[in-house]
Amino acid sequence: MGVEVSDVEFVKARTDKREYRGIVLPNALEVLLISDPETDKAAASMDVRVGSFCDPEGLEGLAHFLEHMLFYASEKYPEEESYGKYITEHGGSTNATTSSESTNFYFDVNVDCSEEALDRFAQFFNKPLMSADATLREIKAVDSENKKNLLSDSCRMIQLEKHLSSKDHPYHKFSTGNWETLEIKPKEKGLDIRLELIKFYEESYSANLMHLVVYGKESLDNLQSLVESKFSDIRNIGREHFQFLGQPYSSEHLQILVKAVPITEGDVLRIKWQITPTLRYYKEGPCNYLSHLIGHEGEGSLFYVLKKLGWALSLVAGEAEHIEDIIGLLFKYIRLLQNSRFPEWIFNEISAISKTQFHYQDKVPPISYVVSIASCMQFFPPEDWLVGGSLLSKFVPSRIQMILDELTPSKVRIFWESKKFDGSANLVEPWYGTPYSVEKVTPSMFQQWIEKAPNENLHLPKPNVFIPTDLTIKLVQEKVKVPIMLRKSSFSRLWYKPDTMFLTPKAYIIIDFNCPLANHTPDQEILTSLYVRLLLDYLNAFAYDADIAGLSYSIQQTVTGFQVRVAGFNDKLKILLDDIISQIEKFEVKLDRFSVLKESMTKEYQNYKFIQPCSQASYNCSMILEDQMWPWVENFEALSHLEADHLSEFAPKLLLRTFLEFYVAGNIEQSEAESIVKHIEDTLFNAPNSLCKPLFPSQYMSRRAVMLEKGLKYYHQTEGSNQKDENSALIQYIQTHQENVKLNVRLHLFSFVASQPAFHQLRTVEQLGYIVYLSTRNDYGVRGLEFVIQSTLKDPRHLDTRVDAFLTMFEKKIYEMPDAEFKRNVNALIDVKLEKFKNIWEESSFFWAEIWSGTLMFDRMEADVNAFILQLQVEALKKLTKEEFIDYFNQYIKVDAPKRKTLSVQVYGRNHYEEYKKIIQEEQSPKTYRIKDIFSFRRSRPLFSWSKGGSSHMEL
């Protein structure tokens, strides 16, 4: 049997220039080939129709465990983790995910390395090796992954929902796996888990259950030849597709109210229904229609009413005292829909939006694209592989009615999470230990809730004014490759970058408000945060339609004030931006909304103690290194005494002196960009009652990083904030240098070369924890490295010694690295640096980072791309010698290097409290310094200069 080439015509976006071909290999493996001559990354994704639902009885987590094991080695490439090593060394990344019904493996790599990468990838499904030693180590890794999630409310509630389902349905299973399910229980039954793993692989993984997507620069014919040669040997045992019949909930699991005790503060209400699967109606979208209306946030919607009543912050978070009224209002809205006769114009709006978003979709990284398509291939016919269920084309009211008829009290499941149930919950979910109780809700109770719910003006949404109609691409007279400073005044500065590459009808606008009063004290920081939250709150009802129509917006607090971002289809973008500026100009504090948002913010601060230990270590590291960063305990205390009157007094002062930095990019003409800025200046600065005045020169804010001392190792040790968390964490930070192109690329090269070996040694071999990584760090232009490890097994001091041991071991690799290998690593990093922007958002993020950081390399360069900052980095890499690289390592990174500046931030979890008690009593060793008081330490250290405000600080 030969290769079948599909002659199907794929539904593809109008702007998509890539070529596609579907083939079926002789072993029944279905493949989609994607040829993109412009790509600089190759990628592949294999979706295997075997997931956690397929776990054998009593071996919970086996499918997930198998996903881990396939990364180790194969008969053709027996060196452990050589696959991951090859991918990383050639500028790529790799991962996998196990879901209920499938497992997806994927990677990307520099485009010239695709053939060997595909060959190594194919061995996952051909002849993998699963050694006994690797099996035991990876069970520990799965167990660490599970322990990481034990105190995650989202994981706990998902498992509680699964627990309250029929035991004979696979949905009921625990899917992650842990030491008990993969080691202890199998041994008790006399089972060899490795043999069970191999048996599961051999009986489940079959080519006819797989779908492969391959993305490359080659022609379709060459891609086909490549795939045929690499994947045709995968076994096809003719395995029938796994069938999971019936619904997961029987009558005992429906019409229930589940009260659960979460880890964190805050009430969450989830209302769910068991409905008929609607995948076969994907072009009609009955669930899309109903979720669009029930989840709407505009005027007249359920959320709008709940918010007006002060009972909701989002569509999952509600006010605990009004749960029955909220449920009653929901069913009132459903009754409204029953009487609405489903207006066709609403379907037409949803359809028009989906078509516009599909046909003008942004190009995304190939690795994301192949994963999404491989997942679609399992469910949709070939012609719809690229679009899935995102295009609605058939309005069938009877289908909508069919689903709506199932949204009844008899099929509902209500989950209410609240700390108020602590002590009254009489049951415990076995895998995560979540306390809960279950009550049956009778039809009469539902009727009472509906009858006593407030009589509010619930109604269907109005037509969406933000749906774009003008999608023309505007001509750009000057093909500029970098942003240009188009306009400057005492009020603002405008950076302009027209779209010369992507040619989509979209734009991106950033307005950075530099406000000196925003963060000088904890009180000011909290008041600025409340100001930003209220702005977003006021905008929501009007701007929700914009979000639906492909216009996103955000207002975020920054270290120097706050920032407004608006992005999406440019046609109606100015309407949204004008409303945002209007809200800023006429800002007032509404007492009811202030109270709701302050309460929400209070719970966020109360929940700080539940963050992951590695996040706590990262926070502590930033507290030590970043000048003028306020501790959360002081912010929390400030929040407790601040009231609406304080914000009313503060808001005008916040904008009294300000400077606006604009970035306008995309499908916007130069005159438009200038007009937008002029209008905002006139509104905020030049109107008769304007709030704002320009900054004095002395008021421009700066953020500076603490300078550590050479030859000294600093320690900061603290207990974990959550006493129930077994995990400890370490961040070992090595501060290297301030902004300097030549030193930057040496640091990046070290991280590039060392990341995979560090992961392999510290996680795979030593099994120190599930979270293990090495990355670079940038604090206001001060560069460094950080090793991050989270562990239940070893205390942070031990983790710190293992990082040093790794660096000592890695010295030999650096010193003995062959010239050819050094050159290969340099070239691979160059390929990464020269990777093209995929869309206007990636391009804008890069340019804005340059503007915001103040390096502004392009500001003093000609438009010639060869003089651009990326090219500077590439040139520095090309000129870099191995001797210079080794010298950088010896000077800054090597253990006991003369210029090494090290900070070890340690968080001790419940498993290691005894070690913490001992260590804080010990005397300091020579060349070490224990930081007991962060603020005294910060005051005692000199600070680096800050590059923002001029390019002269950036050394070449």
Side-chain angles (χ1 to χ4, degrees):
M1 181 180 174
V3 175
E4 295 180 30
V5 179
S6 170
D7 60 356
V8 69
E9 185 174 343
F10 297 105
V11 176
K12 58 184 280 190
R14 296 180 195 130
T15 54
D16 190 352
K17 299 175 184 177
R18 294 167 290 204
E19 293 183 320
Y20 299 85
R21 178 183 295 169
I23 63 173
V24 182
L25 299 182
N27 57 2
L29 173 62
E30 287 191 80
V31 185
L32 178 66
L33 309 172
I34 307 174
S35 173
D36 181 1
E38 297 179 352
T39 190
D40 36 36
K41 276 282 195 287
S45 171
M46 180 75 88
D47 199 80
V48 186
R49 192 75 169 146
V50 178
S52 58
F53 277 8
C54 305
D55 285 344
E57 195 64 37
L59 291 174
E60 294 89 350
L62 194 66
H64 177 220
F65 179 41
L66 176 59
E67 171 225 299
H68 279 239
M69 286 300 299
L70 292 182
F71 281 83
Y72 266 84
S74 63
E75 287 187 13
K76 186 171 183 179
Y77 300 100
E79 181 187 349
E80 198 171 273
E81 286 204 338
S82 60
Y83 163 75
K85 182 173 183 288
Y86 181 86
I87 295 294
T88 305
E89 287 179 350
H90 294 86
S93 60
T94 182
N95 212 331
T97 180
T98 304
S99 60
S100 299
E101 298 182 58
S102 66
T103 304
N104 193 297
F105 302 85
Y106 51 93
F107 76 89
D108 68 357
V109 72
N110 289 341
V111 74
D112 295 333
C113 309
S114 60
E115 182 170 359
E116 184 171 342
L118 281 170
D119 191 52
R120 291 174 177 273
F121 185 60
Q123 307 312 311
F124 280 42
F125 318 103
N126 201 350
K127 294 182 179 179
L129 294 179
M130 304 183 206
S131 69
D133 180 52
T135 300
L136 184 61
R137 279 187 277 126
E138 207 54 32
I139 290 174
K140 292 179 181 177
V142 171
D143 188 60
S144 292
E145 182 178 355
N146 180 63
K147 284 178 177 175
K148 174 181 71 72
N149 297 332
L150 287 178
L151 298 179
S152 162
D153 276 331
S154 59
C155 294
R156 292 163 70 89
M157 296 308 158
I158 288 170
Q159 190 59 44
L160 178 58
E161 289 183 31
K162 294 168 72 172
H163 179 64
L164 296 172
S165 65
S166 301
K167 291 182 179 180
D168 55 357
H169 194 282
Y171 177 72
H172 183 80
K173 294 179 179 179
F174 168 59
S175 58
T176 308
N178 59 20
W179 185 256
E180 181 183 3
T181 67
L182 298 173
E183 175 66 13
I184 296 175
K185 284 188 176 180
K187 279 188 174 178
E188 289 175 352
K189 297 175 184 177
L191 299 176
D192 183 324
I193 192 64
R194 177 174 171 270
L195 296 180
E196 294 299 318
L197 189 70
I198 294 170
K199 177 184 175 184
F200 180 70
Y201 175 81
E202 292 180 344
E203 293 181 356
S204 304
Y205 272 49
S206 178
N208 68 306
L209 300 185
M210 300 178 184
H211 288 84
L212 173 68
V213 181
V214 175
Y215 191 115
K217 196 170 190 173
E218 301 88 343
S219 68
L220 289 174
D221 288 342
N222 288 343
L223 284 173
Q224 181 172 330
S225 297
L226 197 57
V227 167
E228 288 179 32
S229 66
K230 307 299 182 189
F231 294 90
S232 292
D233 291 337
I234 297 174
R235 298 175 316 129
N236 177 13
I237 60 174
R239 181 72 170 83
E240 290 186 10
H241 284 251
F242 290 91
Q243 298 291 322
F244 310 108
L245 303 176
Q247 293 275 32
Y249 310 127
S250 61
S251 58
E252 68 175 293
H253 306 117
L254 299 173
Q255 219 169 308
I256 57 172
L257 170 60
V258 181
K259 297 177 179 178
V261 181
I263 297 294
T264 57
E265 297 291 337
D267 286 17
V268 177
L269 181 67
R270 306 179 201 275
I271 304 171
K272 303 192 173 191
W273 287 270
Q274 178 167 273
I275 62 169
T276 303
T278 60
L279 183 60
R280 73 185 78 173
Y281 311 125
Y282 69 94
K283 291 189 177 181
E284 302 165 17
C287 289
N288 301 58
Y289 188 98
L290 291 172
S291 62
H292 171 77
L293 294 175
I294 295 174
H296 208 280
E297 298 183 16
E299 188 178 336
S301 67
L302 174 66
F303 176 71
Y304 180 85
V305 168
L306 294 177
K307 182 180 159 187
K308 189 174 76 170
L309 292 167
W311 297 349
L313 289 166
S314 69
L315 278 181
V316 294
E319 166 56 50
E321 302 305 316
H322 299 277
I323 295 298
E324 293 177 1
D325 289 331
I326 291 171
I327 296 170
L329 277 167
L330 170 60
F331 278 100
K332 273 190 173 181
Y333 194 81
I334 290 172
R335 187 176 292 172
L336 168 71
L337 296 181
Q338 287 280 13
N339 297 328
S340 71
R341 300 186 179 181
F342 315 125
E344 187 173 0
W345 70 264
I346 293 178
F347 178 87
N348 292 338
E349 271 199 356
I350 299 169
S351 177
I353 291 169
S354 68
K355 286 175 183 175
T356 302
Q357 291 182 337
F358 174 72
H359 286 296
Y360 295 95
Q361 62 185 281
D362 296 308
K363 210 171 184 181
V364 296
I367 192 169
S368 303
Y369 196 52
V370 295
V371 170
S372 65
I373 295 175
S375 302
C376 281
M377 290 170 72
Q378 298 280 10
F379 301 106
F380 299 98
E383 62 268 21
D384 287 329
W385 280 350
L386 308 184
V387 67
S390 63
L391 280 185
L392 306 186
S393 57
K394 298 178 182 177
F395 178 56
V396 184
S398 61
R399 295 272 186 258
I400 302 170
Q401 186 68 58
M402 177 188 77
I403 300 302
L404 188 61
D405 287 344
E406 296 189 85
L407 304 187
T408 63
S410 63
K411 289 195 172 185
V412 79
R413 286 159 57 90
I414 304 169
F415 289 81
W416 181 4
E417 303 165 34
S418 177
K419 287 278 196 180
K420 69 185 291 183
F421 304 130
D422 197 4
S424 62
N426 61 335
L427 299 168
V428 177
E429 189 280 318
W431 296 107
Y432 287 82
T434 304
Y436 72 99
S437 63
V438 182
E439 303 171 14
K440 270 289 185 181
V441 185
T442 64
S444 60
M445 291 170 66
F446 277 110
Q447 190 58 39
Q448 286 177 13
W449 295 349
I450 294 169
E451 289 174 358
K452 78 181 188 72
N455 290 316
E456 296 291 331
N457 185 25
L458 293 167
H459 59 79
L460 297 180
K462 297 174 182 176
N464 191 333
V465 299
F466 289 100
I467 297 175
T469 53
D470 182 0
L471 299 167
T472 56
I473 305 300
K474 299 177 181 180
L475 295 176
V476 177
Q477 301 299 323
E478 187 181 354
K479 302 289 185 181
V480 296
K481 294 186 172 77
V482 296
I484 57 174
M485 192 195 298
L486 200 58
R487 186 178 186 277
K488 187 175 182 181
S489 71
S490 60
F491 310 121
S492 70
R493 179 165 57 173
L494 166 61
W495 297 95
Y496 173 64
K497 173 60 178 70
D499 179 8
T500 58
M501 186 183 301
F502 312 109
L503 304 180
T504 59
K506 298 180 181 181
Y508 195 3
I509 296 178
I510 300 172
I511 312 173
D512 190 58
F513 285 73
N514 191 312
C515 307
L517 290 181
N519 293 299
H520 273 182
T521 66
D523 282 16
Q524 289 177 347
E525 184 167 309
I526 293 299
L527 287 167
T528 302
S529 179
L530 285 164
Y531 173 84
V532 166
R533 289 166 188 246
L534 277 170
L535 276 178
L536 287 167
D537 189 74
Y538 299 161
L539 282 164
N540 188 71
F542 176 74
Y544 181 76
D545 273 346
D547 190 50
I548 291 174
L551 271 176
S552 62
Y553 71 98
S554 67
I555 307 176
Q556 296 177 323
Q557 188 174 7
T558 68
V559 294
T560 56
F562 65 97
Q563 195 174 99
V564 174
R565 296 189 182 217
V566 183
F569 293 107
N570 59 274
D571 182 30
K572 307 292 175 67
L573 182 144
K574 194 170 181 299
I575 299 173
L576 176 59
L577 183 59
D578 284 348
D579 191 62
I580 293 172
I581 298 301
S582 175
Q583 290 289 350
I584 292 172
E585 189 263 336
K586 66 181 184 184
F587 180 84
E588 62 175 327
V589 180
K590 298 176 182 176
L591 182 60
D592 58 337
R593 299 310 300 161
F594 176 89
S595 300
V596 170
L597 292 173
K598 180 182 174 181
E599 182 184 354
S600 169
M601 201 169 167
T602 299
K603 288 175 180 175
E604 287 178 24
Y605 274 101
Q606 290 171 336
N607 289 333
Y608 169 82
K609 61 187 176 186
F610 300 116
I611 65 174
Q612 290 271 349
C614 61
S615 298
Q616 185 183 343
S618 179
Y619 168 83
N620 291 344
C621 191
S622 295
M623 283 295 303
I624 293 167
L625 293 173
E626 297 177 12
D627 185 41
Q628 293 187 6
M629 179 176 173
W630 308 115
W632 75 273
V633 288
E634 292 182 9
N635 283 347
F636 190 19
E637 184 179 337
L639 175 63
S640 66
H641 73 256
L642 291 171
E643 300 298 340
D645 289 346
H646 296 104
L647 183 57
S648 295
E649 183 181 345
F650 173 77
K653 295 177 182 177
L654 176 67
L655 295 173
L656 182 62
R657 296 281 176 182
T658 189
F659 183 81
L660 309 185
E661 189 98 62
F662 286 87
Y663 178 84
V664 178
N667 195 38
I668 288 184
E669 294 172 342
Q670 182 172 317
S671 58
E672 281 184 275
E674 293 179 298
S675 174
I676 287 170
V677 174
K678 182 68 167 59
H679 172 70
I680 293 173
E681 278 191 357
D682 288 344
T683 302
L684 297 181
F685 291 94
N686 296 325
N689 299 315
S690 293
L691 293 172
C692 309
K693 292 181 174 60
L695 287 184
F696 292 118
S698 61
Q699 288 185 294
Y700 285 87
M701 299 175 67
S702 66
R703 288 295 189 192
R704 300 167 68 185
V706 168
M707 188 183 296
L708 301 180
E709 188 172 328
K710 296 174 185 176
L712 199 59
K713 186 165 188 176
Y714 299 90
Y715 290 90
H716 180 262
Q717 292 130 339
T718 185
E719 290 181 295
S721 55
N722 182 2
Q723 296 182 352
K724 294 181 180 179
D725 199 328
E726 298 176 351
N727 290 280
S728 293
L730 165 82
I731 290 181
Q732 187 185 113
Y733 166 72
I734 304 170
Q735 191 177 75
T736 54
H737 64 276
Q738 198 167 11
E739 281 294 351
N740 177 299
V741 171
K742 291 178 181 178
L743 296 182
N744 285 358
V745 298
R746 295 173 198 186
L747 177 67
H748 292 161
L749 183 60
F750 178 81
S751 178
F752 185 80
V753 170
S755 292
Q756 195 279 333
F759 179 86
H760 174 71
Q761 180 62 33
L762 300 174
R763 182 188 181 278
T764 306
V765 176
E766 299 187 28
Q767 286 293 311
L768 296 179
Y770 180 73
I771 297 176
V772 177
Y773 62 88
L774 163 64
S775 65
T776 61
R777 182 182 174 110
N778 183 356
D779 295 281
Y780 310 127
V782 178
R783 304 284 182 159
L785 282 170
E786 61 179 13
F787 290 83
V788 180
I789 305 176
Q790 181 168 295
S791 177
T792 58
L793 301 174
K794 302 294 182 182
D795 69 88
R797 179 159 64 172
H798 179 84
L799 301 178
D800 193 53
T801 63
R802 297 317 302 156
V803 170
D804 285 347
F806 165 75
L807 286 171
T808 301
M809 178 190 72
F810 199 63
E811 284 180 34
K812 185 177 179 183
K813 176 176 173 59
I814 289 180
Y815 296 157
E816 298 178 359
M817 185 184 294
D819 291 345
E821 183 180 346
F822 174 77
K823 201 64 185 172
R824 189 184 70 231
N825 283 316
V826 167
N827 290 336
L829 183 56
I830 287 173
D831 287 343
V832 172
K833 295 282 185 188
L834 291 179
E835 188 175 335
K836 300 184 189 80
F837 299 124
K838 306 295 182 300
N839 50 58
I840 192 174
W841 325 124
E842 286 187 8
E843 180 189 72
S844 296
S845 295
F846 175 83
F847 286 133
W848 178 252
E850 287 296 306
I851 293 167
W852 194 87
S853 67
T855 52
L856 300 182
M857 291 300 296
F858 54 78
D859 184 31
R860 56 194 175 111
M861 300 298 172
E862 297 176 2
D864 180 4
V865 74
N866 290 325
F868 184 51
I869 184 170
L870 284 177
Q871 195 64 32
L872 286 172
Q873 295 177 4
V874 169
E875 289 302 319
L877 278 169
K878 286 179 177 177
K879 293 175 182 177
L880 179 64
T881 66
K882 189 172 74 171
E883 290 70 27
E884 289 172 328
F885 177 63
I886 291 172
D887 181 65
Y888 180 82
F889 172 78
N890 287 338
Q891 290 290 319
Y892 294 98
I893 299 172
K894 178 182 175 180
V895 177
D896 296 328
K899 294 183 180 179
R900 195 179 203 250
K901 297 180 284 187
T902 314
L903 170 63
S904 178
V905 180
Q906 304 176 5
V907 174
Y908 286 75
R910 191 181 73 187
N911 284 4
H912 305 120
Y913 280 165
E914 291 304 315
E915 287 87 344
Y916 172 73
K917 291 175 184 176
K918 291 176 186 175
I919 202 169
I920 59 174
Q921 300 298 325
E922 294 177 359
E923 294 293 326
Q924 286 184 196
S925 305
K927 294 187 177 181
T928 65
Y929 181 89
R930 180 174 295 136
I931 301 171
K932 296 178 180 178
D933 182 335
I934 289 176
F935 312 107
S936 296
F937 172 75
R938 280 197 329 210
R939 287 191 292 269
S940 72
R941 296 301 306 157
L943 303 175
F944 285 96
S945 59
W946 197 35
S947 57
K948 187 167 184 179
S951 57
S952 58
H953 295 288
M954 179 66 175
E955 295 184 22
L956 302 183

